[in-house]
Amino acid sequence: MLALGSALASAQDCRGRFDILLPPTMSEGGVRALSASGLCAAGWSHAPPYEILQRWRWSANIGFEGAFDAYSISGAEGLSSRGDFEVGIVANSSLHNQPYIWNRSLGLRVIASINNQSATALSVSDDGGVVVGRWFVMTGIPRAFRWTESDGMQDLGVFGITPGEARDISDDGSVIVGWGNGVGAFRWTKETGLQDLGALAGNGGEASAVSGDGRVIVGFTYDQNYRTLPFRWTQADGMKLVPLPDDREGAASDVSFDGSFIVGWYRPSTSSAIRHAFCWSDLLGFEDLGIAGNNTESVANAVSDDGEVVAGYMDDGVQSTPFRWIRASADVNRDARVANDDFDMFAEQFGSADPRADFNRDGFVNGNDYDLFAEQFDLGC
């Protein structure tokens, strides 16, 4: 286990604060997944001197945990809602990527792939019973897979998803989303089979994530000029664009449990390829999460269920840095103003040790939260 220590640095403004989640012995990396609470994160990093890909995991109560001893290469890709199951890739002696599922009590288990081909696990149901991802046929073409203990690894390519990937799964394991050649963004269930989600300009796209309740799907579609645009899909409304400033280019990467919060990246300027992480919700609208330090761009890959924590990576043009962005607004009741009723509400939550008073999202309600809230309140943030 790696201690949190000085590896956690912060930058803060009225929008929120960036916590840098880089393991002390690593040179760069990124967050790939968050638990529903935002108190557990997992991803990848590079270990010097050979910059080998290494898995890491961070939780508020334990801190950093490093790579698996038995494998020289590893990377975490997904977490269950509670954060107790983790999936990703490990490399065997022949350097084939193999999918894994990990749980603290059960340990690491490598999932047998089809024909022993390279594969990557990308997402896992909340109980760890269903895993999805991609595997590669001999020609290197990716195909979507679904794995369960009873059925083993199933090739979803037989449903027309070839090539393609299964990118995410609902908490109960019933809804799978991803992309496939010829179908673009798709939704798949065992009962209804494959559903093409369509494309707003007829140019395809990809589904990146599904809400925990399985009702909302997000990703990106291409416009007539093949720019990527983020979408939100529901059974009732179909595919709708996530509104970005001035119709800028972007993509949605993740969505909260009930579909209220959507995160991803967008391009703030039409004259630059630089990206900024964003969070969008009906309640708060569009939020540019900005950057911190010497970084020039940021990308959001994951969001907590309440939208208070966003995670991904920042980049300075040379290397990437994993982050957790924590909302730092003293507008507790979310009425778009900071007033005495916000202070009263926070004080009541703090006095009863309500988890909502964990203002700095470190897993504890203590004086640090009170001080940080008071600072933001005084600033009118």
Side-chain angles (χ1 to χ4, degrees):
M1 183 184 76
L2 301 175
L4 189 59
S6 60
L8 199 60
S10 299
Q12 183 172 330
D13 61 18
C14 272
R15 291 169 297 187
R17 59 192 287 262
F18 283 97
D19 280 352
I20 305 306
L21 287 180
L22 186 64
T25 59
M26 302 300 173
S27 60
E28 66 168 345
V31 179
R32 297 293 297 162
L34 270 179
S35 63
S37 66
L39 296 177
C40 181
W44 62 272
S45 57
H46 282 151
Y50 304 112
E51 300 303 312
I52 296 173
L53 185 70
Q54 296 284 283
R55 164 263 192 187
W56 61 263
R57 174 187 178 90
W58 174 88
S59 57
N61 61 332
I62 293 178
F64 281 110
E65 297 172 271
F68 301 117
D69 293 338
Y71 294 90
S72 58
I73 297 175
S74 58
E77 291 284 347
L79 287 172
S80 61
S81 179
R82 290 172 292 185
D84 49 350
F85 287 95
E86 172 190 313
V87 295
I89 60 167
V90 291
N92 61 18
S93 57
S94 62
L95 296 183
H96 281 172
N97 289 340
Q98 297 178 295
Y100 75 80
I101 181 170
W102 177 91
N103 174 272
R104 191 171 305 282
S105 60
L106 301 176
L108 175 72
R109 174 178 179 178
V110 175
I111 297 172
S113 62
I114 300 171
N115 297 329
N116 198 33
Q117 295 299 303
S118 292
T120 302
L122 297 176
S123 187
V124 59
S125 61
D126 198 38
D127 64 359
V130 187
V131 177
V132 298
R134 61 175 176 261
W135 73 282
F136 292 88
V137 297
M138 294 295 291
T139 55
I141 297 174
R143 294 169 71 106
F145 79 76
R146 172 183 182 269
W147 174 91
T148 65
E149 184 72 51
S150 58
D151 297 330
M153 185 179 288
Q154 297 173 296
D155 178 12
L156 296 186
V158 298
F159 297 97
I161 312 168
T162 307
E165 292 181 334
R167 299 290 297 275
D168 198 18
I169 190 169
S170 60
D171 280 3
D172 66 0
S174 65
V175 180
I176 297 171
V177 302
W179 65 272
N181 188 40
V183 296
F186 73 79
R187 174 183 184 270
W188 183 92
T189 69
K190 195 171 184 179
E191 293 74 25
T192 62
L194 181 68
Q195 179 180 1
D196 185 346
L197 302 187
L200 293 177
N203 292 327
E206 298 182 12
S208 303
V210 60
S211 58
D213 62 10
R215 297 175 182 272
V216 180
I217 298 170
V218 301
F220 67 86
T221 185
Y222 297 101
D223 68 8
Q224 61 272 21
N225 297 316
Y226 284 92
R227 297 186 313 143
T228 58
L229 300 174
F231 75 77
R232 178 182 189 270
W233 181 96
T234 64
Q235 195 77 54
D237 297 331
M239 185 179 289
K240 302 290 185 182
L241 289 181
V242 176
L244 298 180
D246 302 320
D247 191 32
R248 297 288 166 78
E249 186 175 10
S253 305
D254 196 23
V255 59
S256 60
F257 175 83
D258 64 358
S260 296
F261 292 89
I262 297 171
V263 298
W265 62 266
Y266 87 110
R267 301 196 193 280
S269 171
T270 57
S271 61
S272 172
I274 293 297
R275 298 174 294 176
H276 276 196
F278 77 82
C279 181
W280 179 90
S281 64
D282 279 329
L283 178 64
L284 301 173
F286 175 84
E287 299 175 280
D288 182 337
L289 304 189
I291 53 177
N294 296 322
N295 293 288
T296 56
E297 73 171 4
S298 58
V299 172
N301 288 328
V303 62
S304 62
D305 278 356
D306 60 5
E308 297 292 294
V309 182
V310 178
Y313 68 90
M314 292 182 285
D315 197 286
D316 63 4
V318 178
Q319 61 185 24
S320 56
T321 302
F323 72 81
R324 263 196 336 155
W325 179 90
I326 302 165
R327 195 178 302 282
S329 173
D331 179 17
V332 179
N333 61 10
R334 298 292 184 259
D335 64 355
R337 65 190 184 95
V338 176
N340 288 337
D341 50 354
D342 295 299
F343 197 101
D344 293 342
M345 183 177 292
F346 176 80
E348 181 179 347
Q349 294 171 351
F350 184 84
S352 62
D354 189 316
R356 289 175 295 178
D358 180 15
F359 202 69
N360 63 4
R361 288 302 177 114
D362 65 353
F364 306 95
V365 176
N366 54 32
N368 293 331
D369 299 297
Y370 194 95
D371 292 343
L372 182 57
F373 172 82
E375 178 182 340
Q376 293 298 91
F377 184 85
D378 288 343
L379 291 172
C381 289

